[in-house]
Amino acid sequence: MSLSSHSAPWNRLLPMSTNHHGHPGGQPYPRPYLEPGANPTWIGRVQPGNYQPAPGNPASLPQQTWAMPPAPRSRRSMGTLPLVIVGAVLALASLMLVLPFLLGNTGVTGFVIGFIASLIPLSIVLLTVRLIDRWEPEPKRLLWFAFTWGAAVSIAGTLLIQPVFALAAPTSSEEAFTYFMATVQAPIVEEFTKSLGLLVLILAARKYFDGPVDGVVFAFTIAAGFAFTENILYFGREIASSTDPGTDFVRIFILRGLMSPFAHAVFTGTTGLIMGFAARKWHSGYAVLAFFVGLLPAMFLHNRWNSMGQNFLVEYFVVQVPIFLVAAAGIILLRVAEGKLTRQRLLEYARAGWFTPAEMEMLATSRGRKQAVRWAAARGRGSQMKAFIKGATALAFTRQRILSGRDVHVHQQDELDHLRSIPGLRAAVLQ
């Protein structure tokens, strides 16, 4: 498909030759039934008993065959607002502890310089999160919750818990004490307090935390917030206490800001990944179990990082760089698998009359999306095309939630809302 022509090849909704269930002859599929290709990947597999056809489009299907069902009556909830309010209160309370701690260790000048310098690694991680979460972004409220949890709540939790570990640390020498706190206390306490935010999200906002990609996105955001505050401390302390602040600041900035901006993200990302897989089960017990299981690799990776000593550069390139590359490859594989699942779900809507085959390929493939945005941008409709793509992607993910078999009526309401918006989003691109 090419979008380089003057008229869009997908600019009309072609009548489908199938009925609302995608089945020729006007008879619905018997249940349980899985359409061909309904499980294209290991992400989000559907049980036959949970499968149900996509609603048909009354604009392209005979009315005597199908009429779009009325929206199910359900009482609207307040959504994520209570969670965000609680998160804001916790963050503000945490800052009452975190800010004095930072200023006491860095001074005003060190704090300001550390804050500004910390924005660079923070931007690197958050831009990566945006890239991963580009077409089906998590609600901004939840991303803000995740960031403030990492930047304030988890830091405050660490400050409150670490004195307990200090009591158990060896006191034979300062070196032994420092090594214990870095390799035992920090991995256990920091990963626990960061990942606790993931547990809150999966229990309180499970509608938006329903897969491994979501887990990675939320984990990276929490870790970015934690690393941001921690970097302020490290950068500012070099300015405040070093006899050669310029040289020491450059050294610590290269080490933390350029060589390891993703260190915390990779640690906590393993917990988010495992919890994301558990989220597919839609059971609170699995979420709690995954939280504790996911802490183990995160703590181990954190320990290995903090254990690097005199042979730091050797271990960095031989061990840590490969770990980062494996993590990057894993994220790419997750995105590919998620893309296949998105394509299948949109194909089911295409069979039901909501999208033409050309539209389906455009909306569900990376190449098609890029071509579509380029084509629309040349005509001053770039933002409208992006909204159309995001709307279709959100629809595909909503369908996957329906097919999970959990809270079906709630997600069907969202599905109908998305379906009703599709014609308007299409029209905004083509007008």
Side-chain angles (χ1 to χ4, degrees):
M1 180 192 66
S2 172
L3 293 178
S4 58
S5 60
H6 291 287
S7 62
W10 47 270
N11 61 1
R12 57 194 178 91
L13 185 62
L14 298 179
M16 298 291 125
S17 60
T18 60
N19 76 342
H20 67 289
H21 286 174
H23 186 282
Q27 296 299 319
Y29 287 132
R31 293 186 66 192
Y33 179 86
L34 284 180
E35 288 190 24
N39 287 321
T41 70
W42 39 269
I43 289 184
R45 297 187 67 82
V46 179
Q47 298 300 320
N50 293 332
Y51 191 85
Q52 51 186 291
N57 183 1
S60 64
L61 299 168
Q63 290 300 308
Q64 64 271 24
T65 302
W66 175 254
M68 190 170 182
R73 292 185 177 181
S74 61
R75 188 171 57 185
R76 288 285 186 176
S77 67
M78 296 182 67
T80 59
L81 184 59
L83 176 62
V84 173
I85 292 175
V86 171
V89 171
L90 287 174
L92 289 174
S94 298
L95 287 176
M96 301 294 289
L97 174 63
V98 174
L99 278 178
F101 172 78
L102 290 176
L103 290 170
N105 281 270
T106 65
V108 175
T109 301
F111 177 85
V112 172
I113 295 175
F115 182 93
I116 295 172
S118 297
L119 292 174
I120 296 175
L122 173 66
S123 299
I124 294 172
V125 178
L126 292 184
L127 286 174
T128 302
V129 169
R130 179 176 174 80
L131 181 63
I132 297 172
D133 205 34
R134 182 180 181 185
W135 295 116
E136 206 268 328
E138 305 304 328
K140 291 182 179 179
R141 285 178 174 179
L142 296 185
L143 292 176
W144 271 110
F145 174 89
F147 177 78
T148 54
W149 183 281
V153 180
S154 60
I155 295 288
T158 299
L159 293 176
L160 292 172
I161 298 174
Q162 66 181 5
V164 177
F165 281 78
L167 295 175
T171 56
S172 56
S173 67
E174 182 178 353
E175 181 180 358
F177 178 86
T178 302
Y179 185 79
F180 175 88
M181 296 298 284
T183 61
V184 178
Q185 179 272 141
I188 294 176
V189 176
E190 292 178 10
E191 294 310 318
F192 175 80
T193 56
K194 285 185 291 180
S195 297
L196 198 58
L198 291 172
L199 184 59
V200 172
L201 282 167
I202 200 173
L203 295 178
R206 65 180 183 179
K207 177 179 176 181
Y208 303 100
F209 194 145
D210 59 357
V213 175
D214 294 340
V216 169
V217 166
F218 286 130
F220 272 35
T221 306
I222 290 173
F226 187 94
F228 174 69
T229 303
E230 192 177 56
N231 282 335
I232 294 174
L233 172 64
Y234 278 87
F235 296 160
R237 195 161 54 189
E238 293 297 331
I239 299 295
S241 61
S242 174
T243 56
D244 187 3
T247 301
D248 289 339
F249 172 76
V250 171
R251 175 186 57 80
I252 196 69
F253 180 80
I254 292 174
L255 174 64
R256 295 185 61 88
L258 302 180
M259 294 180 66
S260 58
F262 291 98
H264 276 287
V266 171
F267 306 155
T268 312
T270 60
T271 308
L273 179 68
I274 292 172
M275 293 182 69
F277 280 117
R280 291 292 188 189
K281 300 294 185 180
W282 287 79
H283 191 283
S284 299
Y286 283 111
V288 174
L289 177 62
F291 167 73
F292 288 105
V293 173
L295 283 175
L296 299 178
M299 291 175 179
F300 174 77
L301 292 174
H302 200 150
N303 169 271
R304 290 298 84 207
W305 175 269
N306 285 4
S307 296
M308 292 190 295
Q310 294 181 345
N311 296 323
F312 172 81
L313 287 178
V314 174
E315 293 187 51
Y316 175 80
F317 286 106
V318 173
V319 179
Q320 299 300 331
V321 171
I323 289 175
F324 170 77
L325 294 176
V326 168
I331 291 173
I332 293 173
L333 289 176
L334 286 174
R335 294 295 294 152
V336 170
E338 197 174 66
K340 290 181 179 179
L341 188 65
T342 301
R343 185 181 185 279
Q344 173 60 31
R345 297 296 167 252
L346 290 182
L347 177 61
E348 292 159 10
Y349 285 114
R351 290 169 179 162
W354 290 99
F355 303 104
T356 69
E359 280 182 323
M360 196 274 297
E361 290 298 325
M362 176 197 78
L363 294 167
T365 64
S366 177
R367 180 182 179 185
R369 289 168 172 174
K370 290 178 182 178
Q371 289 179 331
V373 171
R374 218 167 24 238
W375 177 88
R379 289 151 181 80
R381 287 287 181 267
S383 60
Q384 290 84 350
M385 176 61 79
K386 290 179 180 178
F388 185 34
I389 294 172
K390 289 180 179 180
T393 306
L395 176 63
F397 276 79
T398 300
R399 175 159 175 76
Q400 180 59 38
R401 295 182 186 116
I402 292 172
L403 300 186
S404 72
R406 181 80 178 214
D407 295 338
V408 173
H409 292 300
V410 174
H411 300 309
Q412 282 179 327
Q413 174 65 64
D414 293 337
E415 178 186 46
L416 294 182
D417 290 342
H418 285 308
L419 288 174
R420 290 187 175 93
S421 71
I422 288 297
L425 293 172
R426 179 189 289 111
V429 176
L430 299 176
Q431 62 180 236

